[in-house]
Amino acid sequence: MNRWEFDGPLHTERLELRLMTPDDVAAVHSWMSDPDVVRYQLYEPRSLEVVTEKVAEYGQARVLADKGDYVQPAIVLDGEVIGAVYFTIASADDETGEIGWVLRREHWGRGYAREAAARMLDVAFDEVGLHRVYAELDPRNEASVALCRRLGMRHEAHFVEHMWFKGEWADTGIYGILAREWRA
Ligand SMILES: CC(C)(COP(=O)(O)OP(=O)(O)OC[C@H]1O[C@@H](n2cnc3c(N)ncnc32)[C@H](O)[C@@H]1OP(=O)(O)O)[C@@H](O)C(=O)NCCC(=O)NCCS
C-alpha cells in the first residue's frame, strides 16, 4: 500500500469531501447529538463541548499509511455539511481498510452516502492501493446494511451477541469488498 495524504477536497457528481474545520462544529453536533442518528454508533449523543474536541481531532487526521491512521472528511452539499465518511487502516500488512458513514437525518434517502462512500473506495483501492475494505455494523441497522449491498459489499460474517452495546448484547455484521471486485 502507499502512503496517502488528504491534500485537497475530493469531488463527486453532487458532493465535496473535505477535512473538517472548527466552523463545522455546529453541523457535526446536529447529528452527533441526534439519538436516531447515533442509535447504532458506538457512542451516546454528544455535547457541543465533546463535538468541538472531536472536530479538532478529525481535522488533523489526514494521512493513511499505518494501522490506525484514519480520515474523517465532511460530506458537503452545496456548501452545507450533511455528514461524514470515516476511513481507517485496519491492517497495513494485509492492506485492509475499514469504512463507515453518517448523514444528518434530513439528508437520508437521496443516495448521498453511497456517492461519498464510492469516492472513498476509489481512493482506498486506486490511490492507497488497498486489497480489501470492510464495514462493521449492527445488523439491525437496515439503512447501513442496504448501503453496503448497494456498494457491492459481500456479507462475510455475522457474530452473535458479539458485543455489549448500549445496555444489551448485540450482534455484529461484517461486509467486505476486494479491490478487483470494486474495479469490476
Ligand atoms: C447509514 C446511512 C448513512 C445511510 O443513508 P442513506 O441515505 O439511506 O443511504 P444512501 O445515501 O445510499 O441513499 C440510499 C437511498 O436513497 C435513495 N436515492 C434517492 N436518490 C438517489 C440517487 N440519486 N442515487 C442513489 N440513491 C438514491 C435510494 O433509493 C435509497 O432509498 P431507500 O433506502 O428508501 O431505497 C444513514 O442511514 C445514517 O446516517 N444512519 C445513521 C448513522 C449510522 O448508523 N451509520 C452507520 C454505522 S455502521
Side-chain angles (χ1 to χ4, degrees):
M1 64 173 279
N2 310 309
R3 180 186 189 281
W4 183 82
E5 184 159 353
F6 203 113
D7 57 7
L10 303 170
H11 295 278
T12 71
E13 204 181 317
R14 297 176 294 177
L15 308 168
E16 182 185 78
L17 303 187
R18 59 149 176 84
L19 291 181
M20 291 182 194
T21 75
D23 290 343
D24 300 326
V25 167
V28 177
H29 180 251
S30 75
W31 81 71
M32 287 194 168
S33 62
D34 182 336
D36 288 345
V37 175
V38 305
R39 171 67 186 91
Y40 296 113
Q41 309 269 36
L42 293 177
Y43 54 87
E44 298 289 354
R46 284 175 169 161
S47 67
L48 193 60
E49 206 179 0
V50 171
V51 172
T52 304
E53 283 168 23
K54 294 285 176 192
V55 168
E57 282 171 28
Y58 302 154
Q60 298 300 314
R62 55 193 309 145
V63 172
L64 298 177
D66 295 313
K67 180 178 161 70
D69 288 350
Y70 74 95
V71 291
Q72 182 142 288
I75 303 173
V76 183
L77 171 72
D78 299 330
E80 185 195 355
V81 172
I82 64 164
V85 182
Y86 174 71
F87 194 88
T88 186
I89 302 299
S91 168
D93 291 344
D94 299 322
E95 302 181 343
T96 295
E98 180 184 352
I99 192 166
W101 32 64
V102 62
L103 290 178
R104 287 161 70 176
R105 210 166 13 151
E106 61 268 36
H107 297 284
W108 292 358
R110 306 218 175 98
Y112 296 136
R114 190 209 54 79
E115 195 169 313
R119 186 71 184 86
M120 205 60 230
L121 288 174
D122 282 340
V123 167
F125 291 125
D126 296 341
E127 296 182 39
V128 189
L130 295 181
H131 172 64
R132 175 175 174 267
V133 173
Y134 69 89
E136 214 174 300
L137 47 74
D138 187 314
R140 294 173 295 181
N141 190 349
E142 287 172 18
S144 201
V145 168
L147 174 53
C148 287
R149 295 208 178 280
R150 279 195 296 278
L151 288 165
M153 300 177 87
R154 174 183 36 252
H155 185 210
E156 295 186 335
H158 182 118
F159 298 119
V160 177
E161 297 194 10
H162 171 248
M163 67 185 300
W164 182 251
F165 176 70
K166 300 189 174 177
E168 61 183 335
W169 288 111
D171 295 2
T172 295
I174 305 283
Y175 287 77
I177 187 164
L178 303 175
R180 63 175 179 271
E181 295 168 332
W182 180 246
R183 290 192 186 112

